[in-house]
Amino acid sequence: RWQVDARVSIHDLHDETDYTLAIASTVADLAGNTLGADFTSAFDTLGGDDAGPMPLCADIDLAGGQVIDLYFSEAIDALTADGTTIFIYEVESGVVLPGLFTIETVDSYPVVRFTATGSFGPGVEYGLIVTRGVMGDDGNPIVEEFRTFFTGTL
């Protein structure tokens, strides 16, 4: 089971700085299975206490076929994290994948879990967009729109 799970503490980041998380496709688990495709995710920090929540990472469980966990830096308004503000879509066709959104807390981070109705197809490129429609409990929108891409695996 492969998971891209790179959590960073918001307290370790500098204000007004661009960051890129990159994991090479050659990274392997203990059994020697490689990731299969490069994973990159870019974000920046605007700074200030009123900046709003920020997605910290997308934990994409492709081997399980249908789960994406989105970790946030602070509590979010559950009513604003759904299929109208978060989109998972096939890049080639632009078709948005149907699924269920739930909110949990994992290791003290608020997590939005997307469970797709079907599986992510092997070799298919997908996009993930978290819009500024996602709001913190304090009413502030996320710092900026978050986008990343990933490829389905067997």
Side-chain angles (χ1 to χ4, degrees):
R1 176 178 166 189
W2 257 109
Q3 289 187 334
V4 176
D5 188 358
R7 299 176 199 172
V8 294
S9 169
I10 193 66
H11 303 289
D12 296 337
L13 303 179
H14 299 283
D15 289 346
E16 300 178 16
T17 304
D18 293 327
Y19 290 93
T20 299
L21 168 67
I23 302 173
S25 63
T26 55
V27 171
D29 63 16
L30 296 175
N33 302 307
T34 62
L35 184 58
D38 290 345
F39 174 86
T40 59
S41 182
F43 62 95
D44 65 16
T45 55
L46 297 179
D49 293 335
D50 297 337
M54 184 168 80
L56 297 179
C57 73
D59 176 5
I60 303 172
D61 176 4
L62 298 178
Q66 60 189 44
V67 176
I68 296 176
D69 285 344
L70 298 167
Y71 292 79
F72 288 82
S73 63
E74 61 184 68
I76 58 170
D77 179 348
L79 297 176
T80 66
D82 59 23
T84 65
T85 57
I86 302 171
F87 304 94
I88 296 93
Y89 63 95
E90 288 186 18
V91 171
E92 186 174 315
S93 69
V95 172
V96 175
L97 276 67
L100 174 69
F101 289 88
T102 56
I103 297 185
E104 305 175 17
T105 300
V106 176
D107 296 331
S108 75
Y109 288 103
V111 176
V112 174
R113 173 167 284 169
F114 172 78
T115 304
T117 302
S119 296
F120 294 106
V124 177
E125 186 177 12
Y126 295 94
L128 165 66
I129 301 172
V130 181
T131 70
R132 294 195 74 222
V134 175
M135 308 289 254
D137 273 353
D138 58 5
N140 287 324
I142 64 169
V143 172
E144 67 179 19
E145 187 172 274
F146 174 83
R147 293 176 178 254
T148 192
F149 297 93
F150 60 95
T151 303
T153 61
L154 295 175

